[in-house]
RNA sequence: GGAGAGGUGGCGGAGUGGCCGAACGCGCUGGUUUCGAAAACCAGUAGGCCUUUACGGGUCUCGAGGGUUCAAAUCCCUCCCUCUCCGCCA
């Protein structure tokens, strides 16, 4: 959410920002409502002041005079009531409109409509050259009995899976390696709820707009399953005023992630690429409202994930996500795409976002600055490792001609010291 | 799921209709004192909104939302949350 005062003062920039993101929002309606709101609040406050004074006079007056004085307040009372009702309506309308205004993308965000317009800014690693026909992770998974899609679907419907044996171990190995490496970098490990109130989904910017992508419990509980630990972690200090000495706060959390993937029928149906549930280690940074510091954090959290991919010996590229492919809340986003031989291309594995105070304003996440002033924090986050897409990349990139898979050095300690998984396929 | 208790400022904790945005204590900040520190003493110390060049003024908020009243932290209703006991349970 943007600051209403900021929108009023910078309406053109807000409109231009929304256009760059290809998102529609009604700024003129917001301006009109705000004008009405100001006039109303001024009048309302004056009336309330009168009312309070009158009340105090009644308290001091002789009891015999009270009924008459009280009766004289009837008009003011009625007027107050209708003004308050109107005021509440305006606030509600304004809030609803405000929640739909997107954050303004940074100048460095490229113009564009879809992910095809994202701009590659970096490439690392040599693409694997196979002197045999490489197998997809689905083929390897099936041949080794590592992945069971059929039973996954039988239990839980399409886009569900069961990992078996070494594949399950490898999943745990990746998650633990990712988690440990972030703790080693000074991030505070967190175990958080994956079931959150819809209010928290609004606070982090997923609602309104993303309802179709989230699983929601039934009406008995107003709870949603999160699509990422970003949600509970960013919301950890909501409604608080933090001390600037305690910032930045850097968190790492592993969680199960649930995604409905509505509207993706027929897309990426094979294998583990697009699934309803996976594990993910996520990094979140909360800091003071300083653009330079936010930028530095953004580079740092991007670097953290790059380091992970490098130690897993996986080729990847970094793209600067274009305006049209940016979500409503982000100032800027860098995606890391890791090479996946079966796709004969790079597949998105990481997403590093910078929000400035967009989320913290919704969450009422603030800090007291050195000057004593209270401001909204800046927030950022990035994937460290998402289980299924990492599994795809590792298994496909490190496969051998005989169908075995080399375990990257970094993961070997987490795999009982083994260097290879799977028996040679005939 | 059943029964009960409770949600007040950074924390503890008063306050059961008007003088309460809120006693008192702790904490924190500034000052006095001191060679320095501690202690003591004095002062200050929530946030949102409107208004004002500024100083300031006004208003709202005592878990959330409604209601009663001239007037609500205080009375009534609904919801949320926490705690205790019982039941169930990984």
């Amino acid at each position: 959410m943007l600051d209403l005062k900021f929108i009023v003062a910078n309406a053109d920039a807000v409109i231009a920002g929304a256009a760059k993101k290809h998102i529609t929002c009604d700024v003129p309606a917001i301006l009109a409502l705000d004008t009405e709101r100001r006039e109303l609040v001024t009048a309302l406050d004056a009336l309330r002041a009168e009312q309070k004074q009158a009340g105090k006079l009644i308290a001091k007056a002789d009891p015999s005079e009270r009924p008459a004085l009280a009766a004289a307040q009837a008009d003011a009372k009625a007027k107050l009531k209708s003004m308050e009702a109107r005021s509440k309506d305006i606030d509600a309308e304004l809030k609803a409109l405000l929640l739909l205004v997107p954050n303004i993308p940074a100048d460095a965000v490229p113009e564009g409509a879809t992910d095809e317009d994202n701009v590659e800014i970096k490439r690392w690693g040599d693409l694997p050259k196979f002197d045999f026909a490489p197998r997809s992770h689905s083929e390897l998974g099936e041949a080794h009995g590592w992945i069971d899609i059929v039973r996954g679907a039988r239990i839980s419907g399409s886009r569900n899976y069961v990992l078996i044996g070494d594949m399950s171990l490898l999943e745990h190995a990746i998650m633990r390696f990712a988690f440990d490496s972030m703790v080693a970098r000074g991030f505070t490990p967190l175990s958080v709820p994956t079931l959150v109130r819809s209010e928290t989904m609004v606070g982090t910017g997923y609602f309104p707009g993303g309802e179709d992508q989230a699983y929601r419990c039934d009406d008995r509980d107003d709870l949603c399953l999160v699509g990422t630990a970003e949600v509970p972690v960013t919301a950890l200090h909501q409604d608080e005023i933090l001390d600037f000495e305690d910032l930045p706060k850097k968190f790492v959390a592993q969680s199960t992630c649930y995604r409905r993937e509505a509207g993706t029928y027929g897309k990426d149906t094979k294998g583990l690429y697009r699934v309803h549930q996976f594990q993910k280690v996520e990094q979140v940074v909360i800091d003071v409202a300083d653009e330079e510091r936010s930028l530095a954090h953004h580079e740092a959290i991007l670097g953290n994930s790059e380091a992970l991919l490098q130690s897993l010996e996986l080729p990847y590229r970094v793209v600067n996500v274009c305006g049209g492919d940016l979500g409503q809340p982000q100032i800027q986003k860098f995606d890391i795409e890791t090479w996946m031989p079966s796709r004969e291309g790079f597949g998105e594995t990481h997403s590093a976002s910078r929000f400035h105070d967009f989320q913290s304003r919704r969450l009422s996440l603030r800090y007291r600055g050195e000057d004593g002033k209270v401001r909204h924090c800046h927030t950022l986050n990035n994937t460290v490792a998402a289980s299924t897409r990492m599994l795809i990349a590792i298994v496909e990139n490190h496969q051998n001609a005989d169908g075995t898979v080399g375990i990257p050095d970094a993961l070997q300690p987490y795999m009982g010291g083994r260097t290879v998984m799977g028996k040679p396929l005939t």
Side-chain angles (χ1 to χ4, degrees), chain A residues 133-145 147 270 342 425:
Chain A
R135 297 170 166 97
S136 71
H137 71 280
S138 309
E139 290 164 334
L140 287 166
E142 199 174 330
H144 289 286
I147 304 174
K270 201 113 183 97
S342 67
L425 301 172

Side-chain angles (χ1 to χ4, degrees), chain A residues 393-407:
Chain A
I394 290 172
V395 166
E396 292 187 358
N397 282 292
H398 295 313
Q399 64 179 299
N400 302 312
D402 63 0
T404 60
V405 172
I407 298 170

Side-chain angles (χ1 to χ4, degrees), chain A residues 242-245 288-289 367-375:
Chain A
L242 304 170
D243 290 331
F244 74 91
E245 293 101 336
V288 298
Y367 71 99
R368 195 178 303 279
E370 246 168 314
D371 57 0
K373 282 211 173 99
V374 173
R375 294 189 187 81

Side-chain angles (χ1 to χ4, degrees), chain A residues 108-266:
Chain A
V109 170
E111 297 285 345
T114 69
D115 57 359
E116 288 175 20
D117 301 313
N118 294 345
V119 176
E120 181 178 313
I121 55 174
K122 180 177 183 179
R123 231 175 233 243
W124 183 90
D126 297 323
L127 303 188
K129 290 195 185 74
F130 300 108
D131 51 10
F132 57 93
R135 297 170 166 97
S136 71
H137 71 280
S138 309
E139 290 164 334
L140 287 166
E142 199 174 330
H144 289 286
W146 285 336
I147 304 174
D148 194 332
I149 299 283
V150 172
R151 291 192 179 88
R154 197 184 293 154
I155 296 165
S156 306
S158 67
R159 294 202 190 287
N160 284 104
Y161 57 94
V162 177
L163 301 183
I164 301 166
D166 281 350
M167 193 63 93
S168 176
L169 288 176
L170 188 63
E171 181 191 44
H172 280 90
I174 296 162
M175 291 297 98
R176 189 58 203 254
F177 171 62
F179 202 73
D180 286 354
S181 62
M182 292 309 294
V183 172
R185 285 169 190 271
F187 282 63
T188 304
L190 243 40
S191 300
V192 291
T194 50
L195 217 40
V196 303
R197 301 165 178 274
S198 39
E199 186 187 291
T200 309
M201 296 295 278
V202 173
T204 41
Y206 284 89
F207 291 176
E211 289 86 349
D212 284 350
Q213 294 306 326
Y215 288 102
R216 178 192 286 278
C217 294
D218 64 38
D219 294 336
R220 289 175 301 175
D221 309 288
D222 176 31
L223 293 171
C224 302
L225 286 165
V226 297
T228 162
E230 165 200 344
V231 173
V233 175
T234 308
L236 182 68
H237 291 293
Q238 70 182 114
D239 295 320
E240 291 183 37
I241 299 176
L242 304 170
D243 290 331
F244 74 91
E245 293 101 336
D246 295 335
L247 297 172
K249 285 195 177 282
K250 299 179 180 184
F251 296 117
V252 59
Q254 189 199 156
S255 80
T256 306
C257 302
Y258 300 92
R259 307 207 171 169
R260 287 191 70 236
E261 297 296 349
T264 63
Y265 309 110

Side-chain angles (χ1 to χ4, degrees), chain A residues 1-15 25-31 34 38 94 97-104 358 361:
Chain A
M1 189 160 67
L2 294 175
D3 182 12
L4 176 57
K5 285 179 190 156
F6 175 87
I7 296 174
V8 171
N10 304 278
D12 291 343
V14 173
I15 291 168
C25 63
D26 199 344
V27 174
I30 290 171
L31 298 182
D34 182 57
R38 279 168 204 260
L94 210 44
L97 288 171
L98 242 27
L99 284 175
L100 297 172
V101 177
N103 206 350
I104 299 177
F358 191 87
R361 179 163 280 110

Side-chain angles (χ1 to χ4, degrees), chain A residues 43-57 73 76:
Chain A
L44 191 55
D45 280 359
L47 191 60
R48 277 205 270 239
E50 276 176 46
Q51 169 87 342
K52 276 176 91 163
Q53 283 310 313
K56 278 179 185 160
L57 285 177
Q73 288 302 309

